[in-house]
Amino acid sequence: MPASIALIAHNTQKNDLIVLVKKYRSILSGYHLMAMDKTGQQIQEATGLKIEGLLSAARGGDLQIAARIVSGEMIGVIFLFDLLQANPQEPRIDSILRACTIHDVPLAINLATAESIIRGFARSRIAYLIFNPVAGQGNPDRDLASIHQTLKPQVHLHTIYTQPNVNPVEQAKEAIAAIQARETEENEDPGFIIASGGDGTVSAIASATIETGIPLGIIPRGTANAFCAALGIPMNLKSACETIAAGNTRMVDVARCNDIPMILLAGVGFEAGMVEKANRELKNHLGSLAYVLSAAQQLFDQEPFKATIEINGEIVEFQTVAVTVANAAPSTSLMAQGFGEVIPDDGLLDITILTTPQNGLQVNAFASLFASALVKTPSNREDLICLQASRLKITTDPPQKLVIDGEIFAANPVDIECIPKGLTIFTPLLTI
């Protein structure tokens, strides 16, 4: 559902409408524009803006606009009306006026009020909401309606649905291009991106916004919602929307793992096996408990391997069952908690290496990591090696599967580099 503006003019006012659209082209380019029949064609030819063509007035184009107002799509109507010269074949204002009045949609009927409305749009915030309808276990229609209801007073939303055959990264890039095209002196806030879904959706969309400076809002609707938990973003949908509406941003680190963007963590060994076992079917049935079950299973299935790590100019070798490298992670990501907490804006990656090959001792090590996360202090176990670096390289023997932000890859070696403050995120004013 795009944020739409209707452009209507009686015949004697069409030239004035075209001049108006030309004057405020950079502002109007951020919205979905529609006009009836020949009016739309003329505006499109004169300005280069994309205009959705509706029926002519004689065939009910004004009724189409009224229906779009009722549907909640329309954020404004510009209707340059000639009271003296109007004829029966031209658009009627009565149905549009009634729809705008009932649904609180601004209506301009002359150039002065039209310019006032457009300047108001320049001060409004535009957001491209990339919405995953299959994320989590909630009702997507109800969730989307709640998002619109909470944000609509302050934010004009363009809603983009993720699709099975379309990469959300590409959808995000298209939205970013539209925002960057609006970066002019007239636009106080050219726009931002909102990702609504699980960690996979969030990670994909965030990867497109790295180092663009464009803020990213997150509305969690997934199974774990680990990135939100790591940054203190509310898990409640309404509260997450209110966080975005408040407008407070924070710059956090990101990373690249074998040139793949990473906002959370990467792991070889235990972490990769756990994520692989927590498949979509299991998560649909058990929710976040799927990770608990898969972790318990992987704890006893994981075989030790040799890890050679190049870090801070040195090469070290370990016999291990898990190497986890975290940029940001909630306390529930136990294998990232060697230091007790992961600080998402310190310019460093936290590396936790579990060297104990015996399953019984692994249980004790995980218990120690859990305790470290609770009290936010480093673990002091000898079988847990904790390191920090801005870049490292991991080579495993035999080769191990790699997980990056919940996605499984086959890669050996693994090269990870931190990008300090590479991502701008809407967060609560006081984050944990």
Side-chain angles (χ1 to χ4, degrees), residues 343-399:
I343 300 173
D345 56 1
D346 60 356
L348 294 171
L349 301 166
D350 288 10
I351 305 117
T352 304
I353 304 163
L354 178 54
T355 61
T356 303
Q358 294 89 357
N359 288 334
L361 292 178
Q362 284 179 28
V363 174
N364 293 336
F366 277 97
S368 175
L369 288 168
F370 179 72
S372 295
L374 282 178
V375 297
K376 299 186 185 302
T377 58
S379 172
N380 57 7
R381 288 182 62 91
E382 293 183 357
D383 53 1
L384 285 170
I385 308 298
C386 305
L387 306 168
Q388 286 185 317
S390 59
R391 183 167 188 171
L392 72 153
K393 183 177 180 179
I394 307 168
T395 305
T396 59
D397 182 21

Side-chain angles (χ1 to χ4, degrees), residues 5-287:
I5 301 172
L7 304 171
I8 315 168
H10 285 162
N11 284 334
T12 59
Q13 307 294 312
K14 284 186 180 180
N15 287 337
D16 287 343
L17 180 60
I18 292 171
V19 170
L20 179 76
V21 175
K22 279 184 176 180
K23 181 177 179 179
Y24 293 103
R25 185 187 186 283
S26 63
I27 297 173
L28 295 173
S29 65
Y31 297 92
H32 179 79
L33 305 176
M34 61 182 69
M36 283 180 274
D37 198 29
K38 294 181 180 179
T39 303
Q41 295 174 18
Q42 292 170 359
I43 295 173
Q44 188 163 299
E45 290 170 1
T47 65
L49 292 172
K50 185 177 181 180
I51 310 291
E52 179 188 351
L54 303 177
L55 297 174
S56 65
R59 297 177 60 198
D62 45 1
L63 298 178
Q64 280 185 303
I65 291 173
R68 303 283 272 271
I69 295 169
V70 172
S71 73
E73 175 183 339
M74 206 74 67
I75 62 166
V77 177
I78 295 173
F79 190 159
L80 299 188
F81 185 78
D82 188 338
L83 182 62
L84 299 177
Q85 300 296 325
N87 64 65
Q89 299 302 312
E90 291 193 302
R92 293 176 58 85
I93 197 170
D94 47 1
S95 58
I96 293 174
L97 176 60
R98 184 166 184 265
C100 286
T101 301
I102 293 172
H103 295 277
D104 294 323
V105 174
L107 170 64
I109 61 171
N110 56 41
L111 287 173
T113 53
E115 293 204 5
S116 177
I117 287 176
I118 294 173
R119 287 175 185 147
F121 291 153
R123 294 187 294 272
S124 299
R125 301 164 69 197
I126 292 179
Y128 292 81
L129 168 64
I130 303 177
F131 183 87
N132 184 350
V134 300
Q137 297 171 298
N139 183 312
D141 294 332
R142 185 172 59 240
D143 287 350
L144 184 58
S146 179
I147 291 169
H148 276 266
Q149 183 178 10
T150 306
L151 290 176
K152 188 175 180 180
Q154 300 181 52
V155 181
H156 293 156
L157 286 177
H158 295 268
T159 303
I160 304 164
Y161 291 91
T162 62
Q163 301 173 36
N165 59 342
V166 178
N167 190 335
V169 174
E170 297 305 316
Q171 293 177 307
K173 286 180 178 179
E174 289 181 10
I176 289 167
I179 291 169
Q180 291 173 334
R182 299 185 73 245
E183 291 178 345
T184 66
E185 292 182 1
E186 291 178 288
N187 286 321
E188 299 176 11
D189 184 349
F192 58 93
I193 309 291
I194 301 174
S196 181
D199 283 319
T201 302
V202 170
S203 180
I205 295 167
S207 71
T209 67
I210 290 174
E211 296 185 295
T212 64
I214 294 173
L216 175 66
I218 303 173
I219 302 173
R221 294 174 37 258
T223 303
N225 302 311
F227 194 55
C228 286
L231 296 182
I233 295 171
M235 295 296 175
N236 175 270
L237 187 144
K238 188 173 186 294
S239 298
C241 290
E242 290 170 346
T243 295
I244 295 169
N248 180 68
T249 59
R250 176 185 181 186
M251 296 182 71
V252 298
D253 302 336
V254 288
R256 292 193 186 278
C257 181
N258 286 9
D259 291 325
I260 298 170
M262 178 183 106
I263 63 172
L264 280 164
L265 56 82
V268 293
F270 173 82
E271 192 83 32
M274 178 194 71
V275 170
E276 189 172 40
K277 284 181 170 64
N279 56 40
R280 169 52 59 187
E281 183 178 357
L282 194 62
K283 287 190 286 187
N284 285 341
H285 281 91
L286 299 178

